[in-house]
Amino acid sequence: MILVLFIGYFLVRLSSTLKETNRSISVLTNDADALSKEVEVILSNANELLEDVNQKVETIDPAFQAVADLGTSVSDLNSATRKVTDRFSGNAKKTAGAGIAASLGKSAVSSFWQHHKNKKQTNN
């Protein structure tokens, strides 16, 4: 008899535990469905935002390309300017060097001629 009462009590407790488990599973299922719907909305919004960003990047891309081309042009212009400057400074150095050499040569010849004339006059 005690065994029957114990089994009866055990079955009543087991039944209430199973009912509570079923309620918990039902709540979890409802919550999971709600979360699933919210995640779906969030992913949809994220896809729309990504498409919008991609369109804006496509719009801005030619501007970035133009800036890159401008940078290349400025670099080429700097290079050409450097070459022209180097040529002029090289020619100026050569010209200045030739002018100095010519002046020194003229002075040396003039000095030598004057010395030679003076020597000739003293010998005569």
Side-chain angles (χ1 to χ4, degrees):
M1 173 111 153
I2 294 179
L3 185 59
V4 172
L5 288 176
F6 179 72
I7 291 175
Y9 177 75
F10 176 73
L11 289 175
V12 169
R13 293 290 290 158
L14 181 63
S15 174
S16 68
T17 302
L18 288 175
K19 284 179 187 176
E20 187 64 35
T21 304
N22 282 337
R23 272 189 246 130
S24 296
I25 289 174
S26 176
V27 168
L28 287 174
T29 303
N30 290 337
D31 288 347
D33 287 342
L35 282 172
S36 174
K37 288 176 185 175
E38 288 180 24
V39 167
E40 190 175 321
V41 169
I42 289 171
L43 288 175
S44 175
N45 288 340
N47 284 336
E48 289 175 17
L49 286 172
L50 187 59
E51 286 177 21
D52 186 43
V53 167
N54 285 337
Q55 288 173 353
K56 288 179 180 174
V57 166
E58 287 175 9
T59 304
I60 294 173
D61 194 39
F64 284 127
Q65 186 61 44
V67 169
D69 291 344
L70 179 64
T72 302
S73 297
V74 168
S75 178
D76 292 344
L77 180 63
N78 283 341
S79 224
T81 304
R82 241 183 246 112
K83 286 179 184 176
V84 168
T85 304
D86 289 345
R87 282 186 193 156
F88 280 132
S89 73
N91 287 339
K93 287 178 184 175
K94 287 179 186 175
T95 304
I100 291 171
S103 294
L104 288 176
K106 184 178 175 186
S107 295
V109 168
S110 176
S111 174
F112 177 74
W113 183 252
Q114 192 65 28
H115 180 67
H116 181 62
K117 266 171 81 181
N118 286 343
K119 214 176 191 188
K120 220 178 190 187
Q121 284 178 357
T122 48
N123 284 341
N124 286 339

